[in-house]
Amino acid sequence: MGEATTMQGYWLALLGTGEGVMDDSGKYIVSSQGILDTLNLYKTIYVDEQLGDQRAQLLADGRNRSFANFRDGVTALLFEGDYFYRSVTAEGSEFAVADRDKVMGWAKVPAEKPGMGIRGQDFVTISGGTGFVLNPATDAPKEAWALLSFMNEPEMQNAFQAIQPRITARTDVEIPDSPFLTETSRTLLPLTTARPNDENYNAVSAEIQRMTEAVVSGELSPEEAMAQYKASVIGIVGEENTVSLL
Amino acid sequence: MTSEPASDRPRRKVRNFALLSNRAGAAFLTPAGLLVSVFVIVPFFWVIFVSFTNRTLLGKTALNPEFVGLANYFSLFDPGNFLQRGQFGFSLILTVQFVLASALIGQALLGLLLAWLIQTVPPWVKRITETFVIAAWILPEVVIGFAWFAFLDRDQGTLNAMLTSVGLPRGDFLLDQPFWVIVVFNTWRGAAFSMMLFGSAFSSISPSYFQAADVAGATSWQKFRDIGLPLIRGHIVTDLILITMWTFNTFTPFLLTNGGPSYRTELVSIYNYRVAFHDFQFGKGAAVGVIMMLINLAFALIYLSIGRKKKG
């Protein structure tokens, strides 16, 4: 359990139903067909048809177990980010996949039905993780801005790419020696979304994890889990900041 | 907590041994007093204060926490979700069950049994048994946690290797029986204390009682029931209160289960940790801490009053 449960799992399925965790006006959606469809997908995969490794969702070190399963050929398919390629399965790491450029492939996450994803997309994805940000309360905004500008110049970004190839925000900076990252970022960046920039997001995300875990463990039905989520989120952000679509 | 309650009985005057002058004594006490106030007394009141605010690590309430009165306490005791998994009430009830099963039944009974049995065995068996039981008690928690984790693992675990070698089915203990895992773990971990306490209590009983019973042809059970137990009753009460407090506060099961799966092993100490240092809700976490302190205080008062009765 952790943010990966929310972002590399729940979000991707939810975006595929055409919804986000928040609506356009910034209110948390606490009851909707999208949430139910997402939870039913979890139920299908982990409870009804047992297609996924339920233990990896429930155990304390579940994420590492899912990596080990993938490395050992036990699990064929994981929902993961570019981090999975850059770091987890990279040569020399604990979960390195031997000869991965030949045996490992990737696919976009499809929406529930074509055209049904967020913004009417056929495929969905979500970004976010590392960022360099300016503290709004800084005493030296000009200098901080100058430093950030300097760090983001093509020359600096190219030097950084040489140390650690990763998805870049600049179209004029190439990712060296990484056809995988180049290809995924070109395909996925136009489709991508981001998590809400909201102080309550972490607490809501913890409730999302509780909701999916309750369904995966078979403790609650999707309807019951959503009702519990609704009550909890209203408790965190107040009823006026939530919206029920059902 | 250490001050005696006022009583009407006339007190014997305490004689003042003039080892040091009052002033010198105070001077020597000051450094220790400062340390205790900075690291014990101030945090104690600070936690109580924080529990009335909505202080967090992140977000706008990190810089400007507001006074929210009893809101944190009300949210802990919200009847709407009090008993749901992952909420305070669930943790509290789980902890009570954990204390009953692993401390009062597990540790105390096992300790009593071991202490009684090793009274009669040859000395070398006694020493080996004591060594192993006490080793389980004194080993570092992280080592213990890792050893148990490795012992119980479904795929590579020692226990499953042992079970399959004698033809028994494998188990997925940490996932299917997490509560009983931590109960057995804590029993194993803490039985040494009860064993040592009861052991020394038994050996303080005059051997002539047992010799007389032997002459009369008493069985071991009769000696235990009619001589051993009645004479160590005071020790049993002390033991039960101490292990209840320790088990109530224990955090080590976290190393085995992380409080999961699905919060099924989330004892109040682990709940407290999650709220305060995982979700970073310091205000609510402090409120949990205050409630735990009150519960501990109740145990401590019972313990102290029994101790006082014994003296008087």
Side-chain angles (χ1 to χ4, degrees):
Chain A
M1 288 238 299
E3 181 59 23
T5 304
T6 309
M7 184 169 166
Q8 281 104 291
Y10 181 81
W11 263 107
L12 291 171
L14 185 69
L15 289 168
T17 71
E19 292 178 14
V21 168
M22 263 186 182
D23 72 359
D24 291 336
S25 64
K27 289 183 175 177
Y28 283 99
I29 303 173
V30 289
S31 164
S32 72
Q33 194 55 46
I35 298 176
L36 275 183
D37 288 356
T38 302
L39 294 178
N40 273 309
L41 179 68
Y42 274 87
K43 187 164 172 280
T44 308
I45 293 174
Y46 293 106
V47 180
D48 295 344
E49 301 185 16
Q50 313 235 327
L51 303 167
D53 184 1
Q54 191 194 36
R55 304 180 79 243
Q57 293 280 323
L58 299 178
L59 282 174
D61 61 343
R63 195 167 185 216
N64 280 357
R65 275 175 199 257
S66 76
F67 295 159
N69 285 344
F70 188 83
R71 173 196 62 197
D72 301 337
V74 176
T75 297
L77 181 70
L78 285 181
F79 275 26
E80 275 297 345
D82 67 308
Y83 159 85
F84 189 67
Y85 186 89
R86 280 193 286 112
S87 170
V88 178
T89 59
E91 221 180 301
S93 92
E94 186 186 352
F95 304 107
V97 172
D99 209 11
R100 66 170 177 172
D101 289 331
K102 283 195 186 134
V103 298
M104 238 172 88
W106 71 281
K108 290 175 285 185
V109 177
E112 193 174 1
K113 293 192 183 95
M116 203 177 151
I118 194 93
R119 299 181 300 234
Q121 290 173 192
D122 296 340
F123 298 93
V124 295
T125 183
I126 185 162
S127 302
T130 317
F132 297 104
V133 288
L134 206 61
N135 189 328
T138 178
D139 293 334
K142 275 186 190 156
E143 289 82 353
W145 179 255
L147 177 66
L148 272 184
S149 314
F150 176 72
M151 284 165 60
N152 282 293
E153 276 170 18
E155 196 187 338
M156 292 301 130
Q157 286 294 308
N158 279 321
F160 186 38
Q161 289 289 351
I163 302 166
Q164 190 187 56
R166 58 194 304 161
I167 292 173
T168 159
R170 294 192 73 116
T171 49
D172 54 353
V173 172
E174 292 283 323
I175 308 170
D177 305 327
S178 185
F180 170 83
L181 286 178
T182 310
E183 190 190 340
T184 47
S185 55
R186 266 187 207 142
T187 319
L188 295 177
L189 287 184
L191 297 174
T192 203
T193 41
R195 289 168 291 177
N197 185 7
D198 181 77
E199 59 173 348
N200 288 315
Y201 174 74
N202 279 334
V204 172
S205 173
E207 289 304 326
I208 290 173
Q209 292 154 33
R210 199 155 80 99
M211 172 167 69
T212 59
E213 192 177 31
V215 171
V216 170
S217 66
E219 184 196 357
L220 297 181
S221 73
E223 287 79 10
E224 291 163 340
M226 186 170 77
Q228 180 181 295
Y229 173 71
K230 178 176 177 175
S232 306
V233 175
I234 286 175
I236 295 167
V237 302
E239 186 148 23
E240 67 281 7
N241 293 315
T242 64
V243 54
S244 291
L245 303 180
L246 277 181
Chain B
M1 288 196 307
T2 50
S3 64
E4 296 275 326
S7 81
D8 300 330
R9 272 181 296 157
R11 291 204 168 185
R12 251 186 303 160
K13 211 173 179 186
V14 182
R15 216 181 124 198
N16 197 4
F17 294 101
L19 206 58
L20 288 168
S21 73
N22 281 345
R23 198 176 294 169
F28 277 110
L29 267 179
T30 309
L34 277 177
L35 278 177
V36 170
S37 4
V38 170
F39 292 107
V40 179
I41 297 174
V42 171
F44 177 83
F45 288 105
W46 177 244
V47 163
I48 296 176
F49 170 72
V50 170
S51 77
F52 296 116
T53 70
N54 60 2
R55 194 182 188 89
T56 52
L57 180 73
L58 305 169
K60 65 172 184 246
T61 48
L63 275 182
N64 303 307
E66 293 155 3
F67 185 78
V68 294
L70 290 170
N72 287 320
Y73 294 90
F74 285 132
S75 83
L76 288 176
F77 289 98
D78 178 1
N81 60 14
F82 186 61
L83 292 174
Q84 276 176 16
R85 266 187 205 172
Q87 303 292 347
F88 183 61
F90 181 85
S91 278
L92 208 55
I93 288 174
L94 186 80
T95 310
V96 171
Q97 293 169 333
F98 179 69
V99 168
L100 282 175
S102 78
L104 300 187
I105 296 176
Q107 290 185 5
L109 268 190
L110 185 64
L112 196 61
L113 189 71
L114 282 169
W116 181 252
L117 292 179
I118 61 174
Q119 299 297 315
T120 47
V121 295
W124 64 274
V125 179
K126 180 177 175 174
R127 275 198 295 276
I128 290 178
T129 314
E130 279 179 342
T131 307
F132 278 109
V133 177
I134 293 170
W137 190 47
I138 58 169
L139 281 172
E141 305 209 316
V142 175
V143 177
I144 295 278
F146 178 76
W148 270 76
F149 199 70
F151 181 69
L152 293 168
D153 187 66
R154 184 191 67 165
D155 302 318
Q156 317 281 331
T158 321
L159 181 57
N160 273 330
M162 280 154 56
L163 286 177
T164 43
S165 69
V166 294
L168 290 168
R170 313 171 71 85
D172 196 355
F173 310 101
L174 285 168
L175 210 56
D176 294 336
Q177 302 294 343
F179 176 71
W180 294 109
V181 163
I182 62 169
V183 165
V184 172
F185 167 76
N186 193 51
T187 302
W188 172 88
R189 172 86 169 140
F193 175 78
S194 300
M195 183 194 79
M196 289 194 297
L197 197 140
F198 295 145
S200 56
F202 281 136
S203 49
S204 72
I205 300 173
S206 164
S208 62
Y209 295 175
F210 293 114
Q211 285 156 3
D214 283 336
V215 172
T219 62
S220 180
W221 164 247
Q222 284 169 329
K223 282 187 277 178
F224 175 69
R225 190 192 55 193
D226 296 332
I227 304 173
L229 269 190
L231 288 176
I232 65 162
R233 204 187 297 145
H235 296 87
I236 292 179
V237 175
T238 307
D239 178 75
L240 292 185
I241 292 172
L242 283 179
I243 62 177
T244 298
M245 282 171 74
W246 292 337
T247 303
F248 182 81
N249 291 315
T250 188
F251 188 73
T252 322
F254 182 82
L255 297 174
L256 284 183
T257 63
N258 256 358
S262 311
Y263 310 102
R264 279 191 283 168
T265 57
E266 199 173 61
L267 306 170
V268 273
S269 55
I270 299 175
Y271 175 79
N272 196 178
Y273 167 79
R274 177 169 64 88
V275 169
F277 299 112
H278 186 269
D279 302 345
F280 299 125
Q281 301 178 52
F282 292 154
K284 193 174 168 189
V288 181
V290 169
I291 295 171
M292 286 181 72
M293 279 200 287
L294 289 176
I295 296 173
N296 277 309
L297 193 67
F299 283 126
L301 286 176
I302 298 172
Y303 178 64
L304 288 174
S305 73
I306 288 173
R308 225 173 277 136
K309 245 182 241 155
K310 245 192 255 166
K311 259 183 255 160

